[in-house]
Amino acid sequence: MSPLSHFDDSGASRMVDVGAKAETERMARASAIVRMQPATLALIRDKMLSKGDVLEVARIAGIMAAKKTFELIPLCHPLPLTSVGLEFAFIDQDRVRIEATAKVFARTGVEMEALTAVSTAALTVYDMCKAADRGMVIERIRLEEKTGGKSGQYIAEQGG
């Protein structure tokens, strides 16, 4: 059997059959950093951009994206999400950290939903601020933690 679950023994792509798996409570947390000019961060923090509250629009975009992950990532299962949340933190004068948490009671995990949420939120920050700062950089998109399922808990190494 292939060590990559989305390929069969002949190398063909496939959607993993999760029918025999037990339904369990599953959670995934992902994060991203958006680096920008200090003046751009001040515009976001002080809610001074003409497009509105950047972080609230990014929060809604992230939630919406998590709900549509199966439409964006070809081999993802549609999931009945029970919760999606996004948090933002100004970690210094030129970086915003975004964290997304997704939860589900299902037969497969929600890692891709959390990663899609945080990625879309970061892209939304870029979109809303690009007139002020086209040099923004989205970096360090990663899974921070996941729980549930047969493989149990995963916690990313600090600083990774």
Side-chain angles (χ1 to χ4, degrees), residues 16-107:
V16 175
D17 182 353
V18 298
K21 289 184 169 185
E23 288 189 338
T24 63
E25 185 75 29
R26 298 164 187 259
M27 179 279 298
R29 224 173 17 89
S31 67
I33 304 286
V34 183
R35 189 167 27 95
M36 63 196 73
Q37 296 174 10
T40 306
L41 186 133
L43 290 171
I44 294 170
R45 185 188 56 237
D46 299 338
K47 300 178 183 172
M48 297 299 294
L49 284 151
S50 62
K51 290 185 177 184
D53 186 335
V54 172
L55 300 184
E56 283 309 310
V57 175
R59 184 185 320 274
I60 297 299
I63 292 168
M64 290 174 65
K67 293 169 26 176
K68 293 187 171 283
T69 299
F70 75 98
E71 294 176 1
L72 300 169
I73 309 296
L75 301 176
C76 282
H77 293 82
L79 294 178
L81 297 171
T82 57
S83 174
V84 177
L86 282 94
E87 298 296 326
F88 302 89
F90 301 111
I91 57 176
D92 56 30
Q93 68 176 5
D94 66 350
R95 294 184 300 159
V96 174
R97 183 176 187 276
I98 305 169
E99 184 173 283
T101 302
K103 295 179 181 179
V104 69
F105 188 80
R107 295 168 195 244

